Short mmCIF file of all heavy atoms in Angstrom, two decimals:
data_model
loop_
_atom_site.label_atom_id
_atom_site.label_comp_id
_atom_site.label_asym_id
_atom_site.label_seq_id
_atom_site.Cartn_x
_atom_site.Cartn_y
_atom_site.Cartn_z
N ASN A 1 0.82 -1.22 0.00
CA ASN A 1 0.00 0.00 0.00
C ASN A 1 0.85 1.26 0.00
O ASN A 1 0.48 2.28 0.61
CB ASN A 1 -0.96 0.01 1.20
CG ASN A 1 -1.98 -1.10 1.14
OD1 ASN A 1 -2.55 -1.39 0.08
ND2 ASN A 1 -2.22 -1.75 2.27
N ILE A 2 1.97 1.22 -0.69
CA ILE A 2 2.82 2.39 -0.83
C ILE A 2 2.28 3.24 -1.97
O ILE A 2 2.24 2.81 -3.11
CB ILE A 2 4.28 1.99 -1.12
CG1 ILE A 2 4.85 1.16 0.04
CG2 ILE A 2 5.14 3.23 -1.36
CD1 ILE A 2 6.23 0.59 -0.24
N THR A 3 1.87 4.45 -1.66
CA THR A 3 1.37 5.36 -2.69
C THR A 3 2.23 6.61 -2.81
O THR A 3 2.00 7.44 -3.68
CB THR A 3 -0.08 5.79 -2.38
OG1 THR A 3 -0.12 6.41 -1.09
CG2 THR A 3 -1.02 4.58 -2.39
N GLY A 4 3.21 6.75 -1.93
CA GLY A 4 4.11 7.90 -1.98
C GLY A 4 5.52 7.48 -1.64
O GLY A 4 5.74 6.51 -0.91
N VAL A 5 6.48 8.20 -2.17
CA VAL A 5 7.88 7.92 -1.91
C VAL A 5 8.60 9.21 -1.51
O VAL A 5 8.13 10.30 -1.83
CB VAL A 5 8.56 7.30 -3.16
CG1 VAL A 5 8.09 5.87 -3.35
CG2 VAL A 5 8.30 8.12 -4.43
N PRO A 6 9.72 9.07 -0.76
CA PRO A 6 10.43 7.83 -0.43
C PRO A 6 9.70 7.02 0.65
O PRO A 6 8.96 7.57 1.46
CB PRO A 6 11.77 8.32 0.10
CG PRO A 6 11.45 9.65 0.73
CD PRO A 6 10.42 10.26 -0.20
N PHE A 7 9.94 5.74 0.62
CA PHE A 7 9.36 4.83 1.61
C PHE A 7 10.45 3.85 2.03
O PHE A 7 10.97 3.11 1.20
CB PHE A 7 8.16 4.08 1.01
CG PHE A 7 7.26 3.46 2.02
CD1 PHE A 7 6.20 4.16 2.57
CD2 PHE A 7 7.47 2.15 2.44
CE1 PHE A 7 5.36 3.59 3.52
CE2 PHE A 7 6.63 1.56 3.39
CZ PHE A 7 5.57 2.28 3.93
N PHE A 8 10.79 3.87 3.31
CA PHE A 8 11.91 3.09 3.84
C PHE A 8 11.36 1.95 4.70
O PHE A 8 10.60 2.19 5.64
CB PHE A 8 12.82 3.96 4.70
CG PHE A 8 13.29 5.23 4.04
CD1 PHE A 8 12.46 6.36 3.98
CD2 PHE A 8 14.56 5.33 3.50
CE1 PHE A 8 12.90 7.54 3.39
CE2 PHE A 8 15.01 6.50 2.90
CZ PHE A 8 14.17 7.61 2.84
N VAL A 9 11.77 0.73 4.39
CA VAL A 9 11.33 -0.43 5.17
C VAL A 9 12.55 -1.06 5.83
O VAL A 9 13.50 -1.45 5.16
CB VAL A 9 10.60 -1.46 4.30
CG1 VAL A 9 10.23 -2.69 5.12
CG2 VAL A 9 9.33 -0.85 3.69
N PHE A 10 12.49 -1.17 7.16
CA PHE A 10 13.59 -1.70 7.94
C PHE A 10 13.29 -3.14 8.36
O PHE A 10 12.36 -3.38 9.13
CB PHE A 10 13.81 -0.84 9.19
CG PHE A 10 14.24 0.57 8.91
CD1 PHE A 10 13.34 1.50 8.40
CD2 PHE A 10 15.54 0.98 9.17
CE1 PHE A 10 13.73 2.81 8.16
CE2 PHE A 10 15.94 2.29 8.92
CZ PHE A 10 15.03 3.20 8.41
N ASN A 11 14.07 -4.08 7.84
CA ASN A 11 13.93 -5.49 8.19
C ASN A 11 12.50 -6.01 8.05
O ASN A 11 12.06 -6.86 8.82
CB ASN A 11 14.42 -5.75 9.62
CG ASN A 11 15.93 -5.83 9.72
OD1 ASN A 11 16.64 -5.75 8.72
ND2 ASN A 11 16.42 -5.97 10.93
N ASN A 12 11.78 -5.49 7.08
CA ASN A 12 10.39 -5.91 6.84
C ASN A 12 9.50 -5.73 8.07
O ASN A 12 8.46 -6.39 8.18
CB ASN A 12 10.34 -7.37 6.38
CG ASN A 12 10.97 -7.57 5.03
OD1 ASN A 12 10.73 -6.78 4.11
ND2 ASN A 12 11.80 -8.59 4.90
N LYS A 13 9.89 -4.83 8.96
CA LYS A 13 9.13 -4.66 10.19
C LYS A 13 8.66 -3.23 10.41
O LYS A 13 7.50 -3.00 10.72
CB LYS A 13 9.96 -5.11 11.39
CG LYS A 13 9.21 -5.00 12.71
CD LYS A 13 10.03 -5.53 13.87
CE LYS A 13 9.23 -5.41 15.16
NZ LYS A 13 10.00 -5.90 16.33
N TYR A 14 9.56 -2.28 10.28
CA TYR A 14 9.21 -0.88 10.48
C TYR A 14 9.32 -0.13 9.15
O TYR A 14 10.20 -0.44 8.34
CB TYR A 14 10.15 -0.21 11.49
CG TYR A 14 9.95 -0.66 12.91
CD1 TYR A 14 10.77 -1.63 13.47
CD2 TYR A 14 8.94 -0.11 13.70
CE1 TYR A 14 10.59 -2.05 14.78
CE2 TYR A 14 8.75 -0.52 15.01
CZ TYR A 14 9.57 -1.49 15.55
OH TYR A 14 9.39 -1.90 16.84
N ALA A 15 8.47 0.85 8.98
CA ALA A 15 8.53 1.67 7.78
C ALA A 15 8.53 3.14 8.13
O ALA A 15 7.86 3.58 9.06
CB ALA A 15 7.34 1.37 6.86
N VAL A 16 9.33 3.89 7.41
CA VAL A 16 9.34 5.35 7.52
C VAL A 16 8.84 5.89 6.20
O VAL A 16 9.41 5.62 5.15
CB VAL A 16 10.75 5.89 7.82
CG1 VAL A 16 10.76 7.41 7.74
CG2 VAL A 16 11.21 5.43 9.20
N SER A 17 7.77 6.64 6.24
CA SER A 17 7.18 7.21 5.04
C SER A 17 7.56 8.67 4.92
O SER A 17 7.31 9.47 5.82
CB SER A 17 5.65 7.08 5.11
OG SER A 17 5.04 7.70 3.98
N GLY A 18 8.20 9.02 3.82
CA GLY A 18 8.56 10.40 3.57
C GLY A 18 9.96 10.74 4.03
O GLY A 18 10.64 9.95 4.69
N ALA A 19 10.41 11.94 3.66
CA ALA A 19 11.75 12.42 4.02
C ALA A 19 11.70 13.00 5.43
O ALA A 19 11.75 14.21 5.64
CB ALA A 19 12.22 13.48 3.02
N GLN A 20 11.60 12.12 6.40
CA GLN A 20 11.45 12.53 7.79
C GLN A 20 12.74 13.13 8.33
O GLN A 20 13.82 12.90 7.80
CB GLN A 20 11.03 11.33 8.63
CG GLN A 20 9.68 10.73 8.24
CD GLN A 20 8.53 11.69 8.47
OE1 GLN A 20 8.55 12.49 9.40
NE2 GLN A 20 7.51 11.61 7.63
N PRO A 21 12.65 13.90 9.42
CA PRO A 21 13.85 14.46 10.05
C PRO A 21 14.79 13.35 10.51
O PRO A 21 14.36 12.23 10.81
CB PRO A 21 13.28 15.25 11.24
CG PRO A 21 11.87 15.54 10.86
CD PRO A 21 11.41 14.36 10.06
N GLY A 22 16.06 13.68 10.60
CA GLY A 22 17.07 12.70 10.98
C GLY A 22 16.77 11.92 12.25
O GLY A 22 16.98 10.70 12.29
N PRO A 23 16.27 12.56 13.33
CA PRO A 23 15.99 11.82 14.56
C PRO A 23 15.00 10.67 14.38
O PRO A 23 15.05 9.69 15.12
CB PRO A 23 15.42 12.90 15.49
CG PRO A 23 16.07 14.17 15.02
CD PRO A 23 16.13 14.03 13.53
N VAL A 24 14.09 10.79 13.42
CA VAL A 24 13.15 9.69 13.16
C VAL A 24 13.90 8.47 12.67
O VAL A 24 13.68 7.34 13.13
CB VAL A 24 12.07 10.12 12.14
CG1 VAL A 24 11.21 8.92 11.74
CG2 VAL A 24 11.21 11.23 12.70
N PHE A 25 14.83 8.68 11.73
CA PHE A 25 15.63 7.57 11.24
C PHE A 25 16.50 6.98 12.35
O PHE A 25 16.64 5.76 12.46
CB PHE A 25 16.50 8.03 10.06
CG PHE A 25 15.75 8.31 8.81
CD1 PHE A 25 15.66 9.60 8.30
CD2 PHE A 25 15.13 7.28 8.10
CE1 PHE A 25 14.96 9.85 7.13
CE2 PHE A 25 14.43 7.53 6.94
CZ PHE A 25 14.34 8.82 6.44
N THR A 26 17.07 7.85 13.16
CA THR A 26 17.91 7.38 14.25
C THR A 26 17.13 6.51 15.22
O THR A 26 17.60 5.45 15.67
CB THR A 26 18.52 8.58 15.01
OG1 THR A 26 19.35 9.33 14.10
CG2 THR A 26 19.36 8.12 16.18
N GLU A 27 15.90 6.93 15.53
CA GLU A 27 15.05 6.16 16.45
C GLU A 27 14.75 4.78 15.89
O GLU A 27 14.83 3.77 16.62
CB GLU A 27 13.74 6.92 16.70
CG GLU A 27 12.77 6.17 17.60
CD GLU A 27 11.43 6.87 17.73
OE1 GLU A 27 11.29 8.00 17.20
OE2 GLU A 27 10.53 6.30 18.37
N VAL A 28 14.41 4.71 14.62
CA VAL A 28 14.08 3.41 14.02
C VAL A 28 15.32 2.52 13.94
O VAL A 28 15.26 1.32 14.22
CB VAL A 28 13.45 3.59 12.63
CG1 VAL A 28 13.12 2.24 12.03
CG2 VAL A 28 12.19 4.43 12.73
N LEU A 29 16.45 3.11 13.56
CA LEU A 29 17.69 2.33 13.50
C LEU A 29 18.01 1.72 14.86
O LEU A 29 18.33 0.52 14.96
CB LEU A 29 18.85 3.23 13.06
CG LEU A 29 18.89 3.62 11.58
CD1 LEU A 29 19.92 4.74 11.37
CD2 LEU A 29 19.23 2.43 10.70
N ASP A 30 17.89 2.51 15.91
CA ASP A 30 18.19 2.02 17.25
C ASP A 30 17.20 0.94 17.68
O ASP A 30 17.57 -0.07 18.30
CB ASP A 30 18.16 3.18 18.26
CG ASP A 30 19.32 4.14 18.08
OD1 ASP A 30 20.32 3.74 17.44
OD2 ASP A 30 19.22 5.29 18.56
N THR A 31 15.92 1.14 17.34
CA THR A 31 14.89 0.19 17.72
C THR A 31 15.08 -1.15 17.02
O THR A 31 15.06 -2.22 17.65
CB THR A 31 13.48 0.75 17.40
OG1 THR A 31 13.28 1.96 18.13
CG2 THR A 31 12.40 -0.25 17.76
N VAL A 32 15.28 -1.09 15.71
CA VAL A 32 15.43 -2.32 14.94
C VAL A 32 16.69 -3.07 15.36
O VAL A 32 16.71 -4.30 15.42
CB VAL A 32 15.45 -2.00 13.43
CG1 VAL A 32 15.74 -3.26 12.62
CG2 VAL A 32 14.13 -1.40 12.99
N TRP A 33 17.74 -2.31 15.64
CA TRP A 33 19.00 -2.93 16.03
C TRP A 33 18.85 -3.74 17.31
O TRP A 33 19.48 -4.78 17.50
CB TRP A 33 20.05 -1.84 16.21
CG TRP A 33 21.46 -2.34 16.35
CD1 TRP A 33 22.22 -2.35 17.46
CD2 TRP A 33 22.26 -2.90 15.32
NE1 TRP A 33 23.46 -2.87 17.20
CE2 TRP A 33 23.50 -3.22 15.88
CE3 TRP A 33 22.04 -3.16 13.95
CZ2 TRP A 33 24.54 -3.79 15.14
CZ3 TRP A 33 23.06 -3.71 13.22
CH2 TRP A 33 24.30 -4.02 13.81
N ALA A 34 18.00 -3.26 18.20
CA ALA A 34 17.85 -3.89 19.51
C ALA A 34 16.81 -5.02 19.52
O ALA A 34 16.84 -5.87 20.42
CB ALA A 34 17.47 -2.83 20.54
N GLU A 35 15.92 -5.03 18.57
CA GLU A 35 14.81 -5.99 18.62
C GLU A 35 15.06 -7.25 17.80
O GLU A 35 16.01 -7.33 17.03
CB GLU A 35 13.53 -5.32 18.09
CG GLU A 35 12.95 -4.28 19.00
CD GLU A 35 11.63 -3.75 18.48
OE1 GLU A 35 11.28 -4.04 17.32
OE2 GLU A 35 10.96 -3.03 19.23
N GLU A 36 14.19 -8.18 17.97
CA GLU A 36 14.21 -9.37 17.12
C GLU A 36 13.91 -8.93 15.69
O GLU A 36 13.16 -7.99 15.45
CB GLU A 36 13.16 -10.38 17.58
CG GLU A 36 13.45 -10.96 18.95
CD GLU A 36 12.42 -11.98 19.37
OE1 GLU A 36 11.45 -12.16 18.60
OE2 GLU A 36 12.56 -12.55 20.44
N GLN A 37 14.46 -9.65 14.72
CA GLN A 37 14.42 -9.20 13.34
C GLN A 37 13.23 -9.71 12.53
O GLN A 37 12.98 -9.21 11.43
CB GLN A 37 15.72 -9.63 12.63
CG GLN A 37 16.97 -9.19 13.35
CD GLN A 37 17.08 -7.68 13.46
OE1 GLN A 37 17.02 -6.98 12.46
NE2 GLN A 37 17.22 -7.18 14.67
N ASN A 38 12.50 -10.65 13.00
CA ASN A 38 11.55 -11.33 12.12
C ASN A 38 10.09 -11.10 12.43
O ASN A 38 9.22 -11.83 11.96
CB ASN A 38 11.81 -12.84 12.14
CG ASN A 38 13.19 -13.16 11.60
OD1 ASN A 38 13.62 -12.58 10.62
ND2 ASN A 38 13.87 -14.09 12.27
N THR A 39 9.77 -10.08 13.25
CA THR A 39 8.37 -9.78 13.52
C THR A 39 7.69 -9.34 12.24
O THR A 39 8.14 -8.42 11.57
CB THR A 39 8.24 -8.65 14.56
OG1 THR A 39 8.95 -9.05 15.73
CG2 THR A 39 6.79 -8.39 14.90
N PRO A 40 6.57 -9.98 11.84
CA PRO A 40 5.96 -9.71 10.54
C PRO A 40 5.13 -8.45 10.44
O PRO A 40 4.68 -8.09 9.38
CB PRO A 40 5.06 -10.94 10.33
CG PRO A 40 4.69 -11.34 11.72
CD PRO A 40 5.90 -11.08 12.56
N VAL A 41 4.92 -7.74 11.56
CA VAL A 41 4.05 -6.56 11.52
C VAL A 41 4.81 -5.37 10.95
O VAL A 41 5.89 -5.03 11.41
CB VAL A 41 3.54 -6.22 12.94
CG1 VAL A 41 2.69 -4.97 12.89
CG2 VAL A 41 2.76 -7.40 13.50
N LEU A 42 4.22 -4.74 9.94
CA LEU A 42 4.82 -3.56 9.33
C LEU A 42 4.20 -2.32 9.96
O LEU A 42 3.01 -2.08 9.83
CB LEU A 42 4.59 -3.55 7.82
CG LEU A 42 5.18 -2.38 7.04
CD1 LEU A 42 6.71 -2.43 7.11
CD2 LEU A 42 4.73 -2.40 5.59
N GLN A 43 5.00 -1.55 10.66
CA GLN A 43 4.52 -0.35 11.34
C GLN A 43 5.06 0.87 10.62
O GLN A 43 6.25 0.97 10.35
CB GLN A 43 4.98 -0.34 12.79
CG GLN A 43 4.52 -1.57 13.58
CD GLN A 43 4.99 -1.53 15.02
OE1 GLN A 43 4.91 -0.49 15.66
NE2 GLN A 43 5.47 -2.64 15.52
N VAL A 44 4.18 1.82 10.32
CA VAL A 44 4.57 3.04 9.62
C VAL A 44 4.91 4.12 10.62
O VAL A 44 4.12 4.45 11.50
CB VAL A 44 3.46 3.52 8.67
CG1 VAL A 44 3.86 4.82 7.99
CG2 VAL A 44 3.16 2.45 7.63
N VAL A 45 6.12 4.66 10.51
CA VAL A 45 6.61 5.69 11.42
C VAL A 45 6.67 7.02 10.69
O VAL A 45 7.24 7.11 9.61
CB VAL A 45 8.02 5.33 11.95
CG1 VAL A 45 8.52 6.43 12.86
CG2 VAL A 45 7.98 3.99 12.67
#
């Protein structure tokens, strides 16, 4: 259901929609790094 870009998907779990500020990317990077990698739920940030 991607209708706009850029659209960033991290480990098939988290998604960042749009050219968000740097801290948003930093938060997702830190979260994904710390969590299990295979959760199937795609969350849009």
Side-chain angles (χ1 to χ4, degrees):
N1 296 317
I2 299 173
T3 58
V5 287
F7 197 89
F8 308 80
V9 177
F10 296 73
N11 281 357
N12 293 315
K13 182 177 181 181
Y14 289 98
V16 172
S17 177
Q20 298 295 327
V24 173
F25 289 112
T26 298
E27 178 185 355
V28 180
L29 286 168
D30 290 341
T31 299
V32 175
W33 192 251
E35 289 185 349
E36 294 181 357
Q37 306 299 305
N38 297 319
T39 304
V41 178
L42 181 66
Q43 303 180 44
V44 178
V45 179

